[in-house]
Amino acid sequence: MSARTLPEATFARTVLGSGPGLAVAHGAGSSIAGTYGPILEGLAAHHTVVGVDYPGSGDTPRSTTPLSLDDLADQLVAAAVAEGLDTFALHGYSMGGPVAIRAAARHPERVTALVLSATMAHPNNQQALTVRVWGKLAATGDNRLVSEFLFPHALSPQAMEAMPAEQLDQAIAYAAADIAEGTVEHADLVSRIDVRDDLAGIRVPTLVISTTADHMAPPALHRHLAENIPGAELAEIPTGHLPMVERPEEWQQLILTFLKQHGA
């Protein structure tokens, strides 16, 4: 059905639920479980959810070469097709946003709708500098230090200050233990991402979910997506970069409501 030949689906994948297809793309330094864990069951109650773990995430071996956005996009589509989904909606979170956009651009006949959360088409200077330092810290192998660096960038100030010191320390330690082995390669890919030329060609219903207290992917980047994808809608959620931590139910509802409205 696709105009492009798909590769063999080799990335480890998660498959849950039944109903209309929903392919999900996770964030850098994370995995399908890490990004979508709190809402996976909720999404799967209405959809057949398929997601792949990028190299160095979950059970997918780490890559020995720089990652390619086209490869990640094609692997996501190939996994969905391998699970019997000829067409499906796409959701991309953070780095997964450009993965989903590129998948929609390369395989438009398979995509029924697009939802983008806390993401961008191309890093601005703020995000580029943050990602550069993140990648350098990840290369040291000191996951505790990486986690300490990311927390004030990833959580809203309200969420940070609401935690007692002991709880914050426990959360940092928990997050450090879950940092993907391939984070260095993920950060490198984020620094090279540019899907701006793909935006005007998107022809499916699109929702951009803006995390309004986001310092990792600033809201200006979300608005740029909504303004440059034809007909895109913009919804806001008052969180930092981690809606799955701060407001998972609200995040899930935004996704499901939009997909239901558009029959996807």
Side-chain angles (χ1 to χ4, degrees):
M1 184 176 180
S2 177
R4 293 181 183 271
T5 301
L6 289 169
E8 179 185 357
T10 58
F11 289 3
R13 62 183 180 260
T14 297
V15 185
L16 287 174
S18 60
L22 174 61
V24 296
H26 69 76
S30 186
S31 62
I32 291 297
T35 293
Y36 294 101
I39 68 169
L40 263 179
E41 293 293 340
L43 296 178
H46 304 272
H47 295 271
T48 301
V49 180
V50 178
V52 297
D53 290 320
Y54 311 143
S57 294
D59 292 327
T60 304
R62 189 172 179 180
S63 177
T64 58
T65 58
L67 299 181
S68 158
L69 190 65
D70 287 356
D71 289 345
L72 299 191
D74 285 356
Q75 280 288 331
L76 178 59
V77 173
V81 172
E83 293 298 330
L85 301 176
D86 287 331
T87 61
F88 42 85
L90 284 166
H91 179 275
Y93 164 80
S94 193
M95 186 178 83
V99 173
I101 291 167
R102 184 55 53 85
R106 288 172 66 81
H107 307 278
E109 69 286 342
R110 294 197 180 274
V111 179
T112 59
L114 181 62
V115 182
L116 305 168
S117 297
T119 189
M120 73 294 179
H122 178 68
N124 63 3
N125 288 341
Q126 178 181 335
Q127 186 180 38
L129 287 171
T130 301
V131 169
R132 185 183 307 168
V133 175
W134 175 36
K136 289 179 178 179
L137 290 175
T140 70
D142 187 341
N143 284 356
R144 170 75 190 205
L145 185 62
V146 174
S147 188
E148 289 178 349
F149 170 76
L150 286 178
F151 257 64
H153 290 86
L155 286 176
S156 68
Q158 292 83 357
M160 282 284 293
E161 299 309 319
M163 285 191 234
E166 183 178 354
Q167 182 185 357
L168 178 59
D169 187 72
Q170 291 173 345
I172 289 171
Y174 179 82
D178 201 41
I179 290 173
E181 183 183 28
T183 294
V184 173
E185 293 82 52
H186 298 182
D188 170 69
L189 178 58
V190 172
S191 72
R192 295 184 280 110
I193 278 173
D194 192 346
V195 295
R196 287 175 291 187
D197 288 346
D198 293 338
L199 303 183
I202 301 296
R203 292 289 184 267
V204 293
T206 300
L207 174 67
V208 178
I209 299 175
S210 176
T211 39
T212 58
D214 197 333
H215 297 289
M216 182 66 75
L221 298 176
H222 316 154
R223 292 192 295 271
H224 173 266
L225 287 169
E227 291 165 0
N228 287 275
I229 295 174
E233 299 178 30
L234 179 68
E236 295 182 338
I237 182 170
T239 75
H241 194 60
L242 304 176
M244 73 291 294
V245 172
E246 295 188 42
R247 290 177 179 258
E249 295 86 1
E250 186 175 343
W251 185 40
Q252 174 185 300
Q253 194 58 46
L254 283 172
I255 297 168
L256 289 176
T257 298
F258 179 79
L259 295 178
K260 183 178 181 180
Q261 286 175 345
H262 294 278

